[in-house]
Amino acid sequence: SGELQRPDLSNRLRPGRCRTPARCRQPLSLCAVVRVGGHGVVCQHRRVTMPSGQRVCYYFDADLGNYYYGPGHPMKPHRVRMTNSLVLHYGMHKDMEVLRPPLASAEQLKAFHADDYIDFLRSVNPENQAELVQGVRRFNVGEDCPAFEGLFDYCRRYTGGSLAGAMRLNHGLSDIAINWAGGLHHAKKSEASGFCYTNDIVLAILELLKFHHRVLYIDIDIHHGDGVEEAFYSTDRVMTVSFHKYGDFFPGTGDMKDIGHGPGRNYSLNVPLKDGMGDEGYKQ
């Protein structure tokens, strides 16, 4: 149906086989999700041996570049169009299946996010935010995460690409799925944070867990992937790995001592880095 169902993350991993149709028959299946840079999610279905000639799908929606956080705001969705221009000029699109992402539904967003939070995002706009001051404060919509025109459709667009990519991996249609518009890793279950409103990464991982026993999430953005880590902090079905700047720096989380809780203990791995980290030090 394409709709997300809430998986039972409380159970320990049980022996079994990957259920990806007609593709993977290894005893265990792992799907890796990588969050890169200021934007972008890359998902890759991995087996014990990787085949040559991987099938890559790339999601792009030109309309995403029309959304505007406001004057002086550092988050600029039009960078997605700039990235796509580079993809085209380098000829990378010739080796990928280019797809327009579907809009995620409110029900799909509610697979992780609280109902009242999604309902608020659907209703708030620049004209009525003064009247919805209680919700604005409660859900942390304000200076960093403004209520700009078309906010809810913006969330549906960038989340739709990540969900669609996860579904293609699940059904064996692609080996790698790319959504440069995604990767909004700070969003919480009931709260906007760090320019992020809906957490497309968490939602994509929930989709992958329908077919895969475990998912590995790797975050190499300069900021700690706090929203994703928090969502899966108590389960052993998702391992989160974050390389990030740490100290007096947003969001202030991601200490090496944060390793998960209960069944998820040792399934959260943080690599906090200081200023001055270069290529060689990063490799080491």
Side-chain angles (χ1 to χ4, degrees):
S1 64
E3 294 183 355
L4 281 169
Q5 302 294 325
R6 295 179 186 269
D8 182 5
L9 298 179
S10 61
N11 295 330
R12 304 291 291 183
L13 180 66
R14 297 187 178 93
R17 292 183 179 274
C18 173
R19 294 191 288 120
T20 307
R23 295 221 308 122
C24 180
R25 291 296 179 265
Q26 299 296 336
L28 291 178
S29 171
L30 171 70
C31 196
V33 181
V34 183
R35 200 274 186 187
V36 293
H39 278 288
V41 173
V42 180
C43 300
Q44 183 172 16
H45 179 275
R46 296 195 62 86
R47 293 184 273 181
V48 174
T49 57
M50 288 299 296
S52 60
Q54 294 175 328
R55 298 164 300 167
V56 182
C57 68
Y58 164 63
Y59 284 94
F60 173 68
D61 186 341
D63 290 339
L64 267 164
N66 296 329
Y67 296 100
Y68 183 52
Y69 274 64
H73 200 288
M75 183 69 159
K76 304 184 186 302
H78 75 83
R79 290 181 300 181
V80 176
R81 284 199 295 224
M82 297 170 63
T83 301
N84 185 67
S85 179
L86 289 173
V87 169
L88 296 177
H89 281 82
Y90 277 108
M92 298 168 64
H93 63 289
K94 298 176 183 178
D95 296 317
M96 302 186 290
E97 184 175 1
V98 182
L99 302 168
R100 183 183 178 92
L103 295 178
S105 69
E107 289 306 310
Q108 286 178 312
L109 299 178
K110 291 176 180 179
F112 169 63
H113 294 286
D115 292 2
D116 54 355
Y117 175 54
I118 295 301
D119 292 341
F120 174 79
L121 291 179
R122 181 160 47 182
S123 62
V124 70
N125 59 59
E127 285 70 38
N128 68 9
Q129 61 178 331
E131 304 169 11
L132 303 175
V133 62
Q134 184 175 355
V136 166
R137 293 173 179 171
R138 176 184 175 191
F139 299 122
N140 196 35
V141 174
E143 185 176 350
D144 281 351
C145 303
F148 56 84
E149 189 67 37
L151 170 60
F152 188 61
D153 278 347
Y154 169 67
C155 296
R156 296 176 66 199
R157 288 183 191 280
Y158 74 72
T159 302
S162 296
L163 281 174
M167 291 177 187
R168 285 186 67 88
L169 295 180
N170 280 347
H171 294 284
L173 301 176
S174 298
D175 299 305
I176 298 173
I178 301 172
N179 176 29
W180 286 122
L184 281 79
H185 58 170
H186 296 306
K188 308 299 195 302
K189 183 181 181 69
S190 301
E191 182 180 302
S193 177
F195 318 156
C196 307
Y197 302 88
T198 55
N199 200 314
D200 62 293
I201 304 170
V202 170
L203 290 165
I205 290 174
L206 291 177
E207 181 67 28
L208 292 170
L209 287 172
K210 293 179 181 179
F211 282 73
H212 301 273
H213 292 286
R214 280 180 170 155
V215 173
L216 170 63
Y217 170 66
I218 303 173
D219 192 320
I220 57 174
D221 181 63
I222 192 172
H223 302 98
H224 176 232
D226 58 333
V228 183
E229 179 184 274
E230 180 179 303
F232 301 109
Y233 203 65
S234 300
T235 178
D236 61 356
R237 293 195 63 197
V238 178
M239 184 173 192
T240 61
V241 182
S242 180
F243 298 82
H244 51 271
K245 182 177 176 179
Y246 184 71
D248 186 17
F249 193 70
F250 182 87
T253 54
D255 192 284
M256 288 182 63
K257 298 178 181 178
D258 299 333
I259 59 173
H261 176 73
R265 183 176 175 82
N266 295 322
Y267 282 85
S268 291
L269 176 62
N270 287 294
V271 184
L273 305 171
K274 296 181 180 180
D275 279 331
M277 176 60 64
D279 291 347
E280 290 305 314
Y282 197 89
K283 292 177 183 178
Q284 293 175 8

